[in-house]
Amino acid sequence: MSGVRRRKTQPKRRVVETGIQTDDEDGGKVVTKEPPRSNDPNKGSVFVSRRVLFPLGLFLGVAFTYFIAPPIPPHIAMMLEEYDLSFPSLANMNMSFPGFEVEWRQITDNFFDSAKKWTQNRDFSVGSKLKAEGLEAKHPVVLIPGIISTGLESWSTSPEYRPYFRKRLWGTTTMIRAVLSERERWMAAMLLDPETGLDPPGVKVRAAQGLDAASSFIPGYWIWSKVIENLACINYDTNNMELASYDWRLTYYNLEVRDGYFSRLKATIESFKKREGRKVVVVSLKWVEAAGYGDGGPNWVENHIDSLVSIGGTFLGVSKAVPALLSGEMKDTVEISPAGAYVLERFFSRSDRAKLMRSWGGGSSLWPKGGNDVWGDKSGAPDDKESQKQTNGYMISFRAATSPTSATSIPPGDHEASTATSHHATHPTLLPIDIESAERNKHSDDEVDTENSDPLDAPIPAVETSPGVGNLTLNDAESWIWQHTPNSFQRMMYTNYSNGIERDEEQLKKNNLDHRKWVNPLEIQLPNAPSMKIYCLYGHGKETERSYWYARGEYEHDDSSSDAMSAVCQNSTSCDGKGMSPRAPLDMPLSRQSWIDTAVNDASENPVRNGVKIGEGDGTVPLISLGAMCVEGWKRKLYNPAGIEVKTYEMAHQPEGLDMRGGATTSDHIDILGSTALNEIVLKVAAGRGAEVQERFVSDIHKYAKKIKWDG
């Protein structure tokens, strides 16, 4: 090796070296020379660790990079010479590697070629390309982030919250620090009042403002920043682009009551239209037109909105809202390792998560819409596969008992009770468990072989279903969940949302004045805006949670103080540590513990993992919700009387292996904001060249949408 001076060896000296194996800290083997013997045992060990191991570590590291690194710097060579260490010469060892260095460099160049490509700065690439093609900013743009995307800041001035004043409690590393160090205080700040749905006393949290409000969630994890960067390339800035951030915890009605959100949004759009002289590309909101609310009139959207671009739109809700509101769980929480699940439960339990999510009225807007007519029933679901073992029409399923002692959990006669003439059929808690499983288990007198049996049949007696509870469709699950959640949550849902389907044209017109209907496209008509265009952009090909297997445990008290009988502190001696009076003697634990049954797994074509049935979608939103309204619902005059043009563009999920966010070809629900195809479409629509966007499909959404019971 060049740059290393080698000491000449003495030909007549014979040196005998003894190899000694020692364990390093990582459990590997290090071969060293035997040190000179000494009468002082401590002296020998010090010599080995300080005089030999350290320079030898340098020796091994330099030797490893011999073929791919430039010559050793002079100061390293001097250190090696000082300790009388030299590199073995390949020539002196009579070893020949013809062309090895050239081949090695070719291998490494090919191996790291893709890594070099994605590590290059690809920001602004889409915008720069389209700028070179002549695209320029035309329509003002208003970006409206999705649920949980906007950062939330603390504006509380009480002493305990002053360290967080104007710092983000949702988003940035401040949130992480607050959750880890002051979890109770963070939860108290993020919870909304269960009765009013607004800030609890002494707490004030507001949405961050400006383009930075949803550009990134935490440092290094971008959200809208890629779209903003590319729009900037074609001359968009804060004069013709707005990010309309909002407190996503609030219901839509309370957004206007507390923050005047829709009034400000309406004023922003009108200001853009007046100053720029062009319509705006934005999300159309029914509130603006309604009399007594925005008072924009029936033609406001037609006069002010050019296009609605929906990115991963949750038009018909998401399945994950069901377990999130019932037990504070979802696919993300049950897929972590057992150790991680234990830590999560100890640190942030299911009940804590459910309590937090139920208080966020805005998140409840994601509840699946359309009921069984859209999501299926026991006879089948629109997105069922031909070879599917169990229909997706069951939103919540329970395993049948599999042992003689637990078989009694299925009430006798349930098979007969499942008929339409039985009184059981109208009660959500008396539906039968899967009939085939029930019949099989009625005759099961032998011990079950859990090692060789199907995973769905493996018994876990501690989590068997209770008498009378069977598989639940969405309609059944909705009623069942309302029975297992606090009254305050039920009132919030009833006064803010409606999740049905309306087929009467006159009633649809009346719904224009009912704010509960505005977030459900099945109960409201599109605005009278025939010149407006709608673009449905979403991904497909990533495993998405569709429905769930559940288990039930012991009974417990409902921790909702607003629903407790006589929950008023009469005097200091009768209060507990939380300032609440103790429960009455007859206040029985009536709430049943429920959780996703992670023991259920199925590796078939339609997999079940950790109790979660996997379906089609973008990793978060099921395909039916993403595309059914775009390809079928809004093609019908009943829901689209003005005949607004609706284009659908599906993107296959093909993530780049070396990019943690999937790169330019990802179609994940969040990461799609950085994909090349999506950014190209957004920029073309904003630049007034939306006509160039052609529909594209990579899924069976047309087939699934046709199976929805649009006409009853």
Side-chain angles (χ1 to χ4, degrees):
M1 175 176 291
S2 60
V4 180
R5 296 175 55 190
R6 295 178 173 83
R7 177 175 296 182
K8 296 182 179 179
T9 57
Q10 300 295 330
K12 294 183 179 181
R13 175 179 295 180
R14 183 181 181 188
V15 181
V16 179
E17 298 178 351
T18 304
I20 300 177
Q21 283 192 340
T22 60
D23 294 333
D24 64 4
E25 294 180 355
D26 297 327
K29 300 297 183 180
V30 180
V31 180
T32 68
K33 296 180 180 180
E34 182 177 3
R37 299 185 181 276
S38 172
N39 295 329
D40 186 353
N42 295 328
K43 182 177 180 180
S45 61
V46 172
F47 179 83
V48 170
S49 61
R50 295 185 180 179
R51 297 293 302 277
V52 177
L53 294 184
F54 175 75
L56 186 58
L58 294 176
F59 170 85
L60 295 176
V62 175
F64 178 78
T65 58
Y66 176 81
F67 299 104
I68 60 176
I72 301 175
H75 62 281
I76 299 291
M78 292 177 61
M79 180 182 296
L80 295 173
E81 182 178 3
E82 178 182 355
Y83 285 97
D84 196 21
L85 293 174
S86 61
F87 283 96
S89 173
L90 294 180
N92 294 337
M93 296 172 65
N94 295 322
M95 298 178 66
S96 176
F97 295 90
F100 180 81
E101 293 190 25
V102 176
E103 294 181 5
W104 174 259
R105 292 192 180 278
Q106 290 178 348
I107 293 173
T108 55
D109 287 344
N110 293 334
F111 181 80
F112 292 108
D113 183 58
S114 57
K116 291 177 181 178
K117 289 182 179 179
W118 73 261
T119 53
Q120 294 173 353
N121 189 350
R122 294 186 300 185
D123 297 342
F124 309 98
S125 60
V126 175
S128 299
K129 174 177 174 289
L130 295 181
K131 173 73 172 179
E133 296 177 4
L135 261 69
E136 288 288 339
K138 181 178 180 180
H139 298 287
V141 173
V142 175
L143 305 173
I144 301 183
I147 298 292
I148 79 171
S149 296
T150 300
L152 303 178
E153 298 177 345
S154 173
W155 282 80
S156 304
T157 57
S158 54
E160 63 270 26
Y161 290 110
R162 287 177 184 172
Y164 295 102
F165 182 72
R166 295 209 61 200
K167 295 181 180 179
R168 294 194 185 182
L169 295 180
W170 186 264
T172 74
T173 55
T174 303
M175 178 195 74
I176 299 175
R177 185 177 74 250
V179 171
L180 294 178
S181 62
E182 298 180 288
R183 184 182 69 90
E184 297 296 335
R185 186 174 299 176
W186 179 83
M187 274 200 63
M190 292 296 294
L191 280 167
L192 293 174
D193 188 287
E195 297 297 330
T196 66
L198 301 173
D199 297 310
V203 175
K204 183 185 288 188
V205 175
R206 296 292 182 267
Q209 298 299 312
L211 295 176
D212 288 338
S215 293
S216 300
F217 184 67
I218 57 175
Y221 190 90
W222 48 263
I223 303 178
W224 282 92
S225 63
K226 302 297 182 182
V227 175
I228 295 172
E229 290 166 359
N230 287 307
L231 284 169
C233 289
I234 60 172
N235 294 328
Y236 278 96
D237 54 35
T238 53
N239 291 326
N240 55 2
M241 177 170 55
E242 175 88 5
L243 192 147
S245 59
Y246 60 98
D247 188 344
W248 43 266
R249 300 174 304 157
L250 300 178
T251 62
Y252 294 115
Y253 186 80
N254 279 339
L255 271 174
E256 178 64 20
V257 169
R258 195 195 73 177
D259 298 341
Y261 176 76
F262 298 114
S263 296
R264 291 188 288 112
L265 181 58
K266 177 172 176 277
T268 298
I269 296 172
E270 291 174 343
S271 175
F272 274 149
K273 169 73 183 307
K274 182 178 180 180
R275 186 172 69 245
E276 301 290 332
R278 297 186 179 95
K279 296 180 183 180
V280 181
V281 174
V282 71
V283 175
S284 177
L285 298 166
K286 196 66 181 178
W287 181 91
V288 177
E289 293 183 332
Y293 295 89
D295 291 319
N299 297 319
W300 189 92
V301 173
E302 171 67 12
N303 295 332
H304 292 83
I305 307 298
D306 176 81
S307 302
L308 158 64
V309 180
S310 168
I311 301 176
T314 57
F315 297 118
L316 299 180
V318 295
S319 303
K320 68 190 328 176
V322 175
L325 296 172
L326 173 61
S327 59
E329 297 175 287
M330 57 190 70
K331 178 173 175 281
D332 309 272
T333 63
V334 299
E335 284 190 341
I336 58 179
S337 64
Y342 176 81
V343 173
L344 178 63
E345 185 64 22
R346 290 288 183 178
F347 183 75
F348 203 17
S349 66
R350 292 192 306 271
S351 60
D352 287 339
R353 299 194 299 268
K355 181 179 180 181
L356 196 64
M357 294 175 184
R358 290 170 190 162
S359 80
W360 295 344
S364 300
S365 66
L366 298 177
W367 184 269
K369 298 168 179 63
N372 293 358
D373 290 340
V374 172
W375 298 88
D377 52 29
K378 64 181 181 181
S379 62
D383 56 343
D384 280 349
K385 300 290 186 181
E386 295 182 359
S387 59
Q388 198 157 325
K389 292 182 178 180
Q390 187 192 42
T391 174
N392 287 332
Y394 286 130
M395 183 62 69
I396 294 180
S397 302
F398 293 92
R399 284 187 293 156
T402 54
S403 65
T405 57
S406 58
T408 56
S409 63
I410 305 176
D414 246 9
H415 188 173
E416 293 77 14
S418 65
T419 61
T421 57
S422 171
H423 68 281
H424 289 185
T426 61
H427 198 293
T429 59
L430 294 178
L431 292 175
I433 298 173
D434 180 60
I435 295 175
E436 294 182 3
S437 299
E439 289 297 320
R440 180 174 64 251
N441 292 314
K442 283 181 181 179
H443 304 90
S444 176
D445 296 325
D446 300 327
E447 187 174 330
V448 178
D449 182 1
T450 59
E451 293 184 1
N452 299 318
S453 62
D454 188 283
L456 298 180
D457 301 331
I460 300 182
V463 297
E464 293 295 354
T465 181
S466 63
V469 177
N471 300 337
L472 308 178
T473 64
L474 178 58
N475 289 352
D476 304 326
E478 186 172 5
S479 299
W480 185 68
I481 289 175
W482 296 164
Q483 297 172 14
H484 293 78
T485 51
N487 291 337
S488 57
F489 174 74
Q490 299 174 44
R491 287 192 295 270
M492 182 277 295
M493 289 292 294
Y494 176 77
T495 56
N496 286 280
Y497 302 113
S498 178
N499 299 309
I501 181 172
E502 183 57 64
R503 301 179 177 91
D504 182 75
E505 185 175 0
E506 292 302 318
Q507 185 59 47
L508 284 170
K509 294 178 179 178
K510 294 178 181 178
N511 289 348
N512 289 335
L513 300 177
D514 189 348
H515 69 88
R516 299 178 305 159
K517 314 288 187 179
W518 293 345
V519 296
N520 183 0
L522 296 172
E523 294 186 289
I524 204 75
Q525 293 177 321
L526 289 177
N528 180 33
S531 66
M532 188 180 81
K533 284 82 65 182
I534 295 178
Y535 300 87
C536 300
L537 315 179
Y538 59 86
H540 175 268
K542 188 172 184 181
E543 293 186 344
T544 305
E545 47 197 299
R546 177 59 171 82
S547 52
Y548 308 87
W549 287 84
Y550 254 77
R552 310 193 72 195
E554 301 297 328
Y555 287 94
E556 62 181 355
H557 285 96
D558 188 348
D559 61 357
S560 176
S561 60
S562 62
D563 297 337
M565 295 294 293
S566 303
V568 179
C569 183
Q570 303 296 335
N571 53 67
S572 59
T573 59
S574 62
C575 292
D576 60 14
K578 297 181 180 179
M580 304 301 298
S581 60
R583 295 183 178 272
L586 296 180
D587 184 12
M588 305 297 290
L590 301 178
S591 177
R592 191 77 178 271
Q593 293 180 2
S594 302
W595 62 88
I596 294 177
D597 191 352
T598 57
V600 180
N601 290 277
D602 183 4
S604 65
E605 182 181 353
N606 306 106
V608 178
R609 280 196 287 276
N610 301 305
V612 179
K613 300 178 189 176
I614 304 301
E616 298 178 63
D618 65 359
T620 298
V621 186
L623 179 60
I624 286 180
S625 180
L626 289 166
M629 290 303 301
C630 303
V631 302
E632 182 65 30
W634 286 329
K635 302 296 184 179
R636 295 168 173 256
K637 188 176 179 59
L638 180 66
Y639 300 110
N640 184 7
I644 297 173
E645 182 182 8
V646 181
K647 289 185 177 181
T648 302
Y649 192 95
E650 293 184 339
M651 287 158 276
H653 182 58
Q654 297 173 335
E656 297 177 2
L658 294 175
D659 193 324
M660 294 182 63
R661 301 294 299 275
T665 55
T666 181
S667 293
D668 173 81
H669 182 66
I670 298 295
D671 298 340
I672 197 174
L673 290 170
S675 73
T676 297
L678 182 136
N679 277 270
E680 287 181 349
I681 295 176
V682 171
L683 267 62
K684 286 181 179 180
V685 173
R689 291 167 59 173
E692 298 179 8
V693 178
Q694 301 298 317
E695 289 194 320
R696 179 174 184 264
F697 298 95
V698 296
S699 74
D700 293 326
I701 183 59
H702 285 97
K703 182 175 70 174
Y704 298 158
K706 291 290 185 183
K707 294 181 180 179
I708 292 177
K709 299 177 182 178
W710 301 100
D711 301 317

